[in-house]
Amino acid sequence: QVQLVESGGGLVEAGGSLTLSCVSSGRTFNSWSMAWFRQVSGKEREFVAAIRWSRSTTYYADSVKGRFTISRDNAKKTVYLQMNSLKPEDTAVYFCAADPRGTVLLREIEEYNIWGQGTQVTVSS
C-alpha cells in the first residue's frame, strides 16, 4: 500500500518560513498529480496548492498565492511546499495528497485518494 509521509512542520513566528516535504513510497510517482491541503480543527479541509506531473502546471489558493511555492522532485518521489511570509491564519494541519491518475482537477479534494497523516504548522503572532 502506497504511503505518503509529510515532514517539516513546526512552530514559526509570523513572517517566517517553513518548507514541508512529502515522500511517496509508491513505485511510480512521475505521472501523479500531487497537492497540499490544510485543515483547522472544526473546519473543512481546504486546498492550498497542487502540481501536475508536468512541473510547469501548478495551482494555488488565492490566500497563499505569491507566498507559497509547490515543487516536486520525481527522482526522489517527493513534493515540497515552500511557505514564506507566514501568517497566523496559515496555522493548520497540512496534508499531502496524491492522485495516481494524474487528475487535471487539481483543486478538487475528491480527486485525491492517497493521503498523508498530516503535519502541524503553527504561526505565532
Side-chain angles (χ1 to χ4, degrees):
Q1 185 171 349
V2 175
Q3 289 186 321
L4 301 175
V5 179
E6 302 102 331
S7 62
L11 174 64
V12 64
E13 292 185 351
S17 298
L18 281 175
T19 299
L20 305 183
S21 300
C22 170
V23 180
S24 170
S25 65
R27 289 187 295 175
T28 60
F29 180 81
N30 293 14
S31 62
W32 295 11
S33 292
M34 301 294 298
W36 290 94
F37 288 77
R38 66 187 182 187
Q39 187 170 23
V40 175
S41 180
K43 295 188 177 181
E44 292 186 352
R45 195 168 296 187
E46 66 173 8
F47 171 77
V48 175
I51 186 168
R52 288 205 71 206
W53 64 270
S54 168
R55 289 181 283 263
S56 62
T57 304
T58 58
Y59 289 96
Y60 297 92
D62 288 343
S63 59
V64 307
K65 201 171 295 182
R67 299 187 298 121
F68 291 10
T69 301
I70 189 171
S71 61
R72 64 191 294 162
D73 184 332
N74 288 337
K76 295 183 178 179
K77 299 180 183 178
T78 301
V79 63
Y80 304 96
L81 185 67
Q82 173 69 42
M83 305 184 294
N84 298 327
S85 302
L86 282 162
K87 304 175 181 180
E89 51 264 43
D90 294 318
T91 295
V93 177
Y94 283 70
F95 295 90
C96 177
D99 175 25
R101 303 165 303 169
T103 183
V104 298
L105 303 176
L106 295 174
R107 295 184 177 91
E108 302 302 322
I109 193 170
E110 296 82 6
E111 294 294 306
Y112 298 93
N113 57 5
I114 302 174
W115 290 85
Q117 80 289 351
T119 185
Q120 176 71 47
V121 172
T122 302
V123 184
S124 64
S125 57

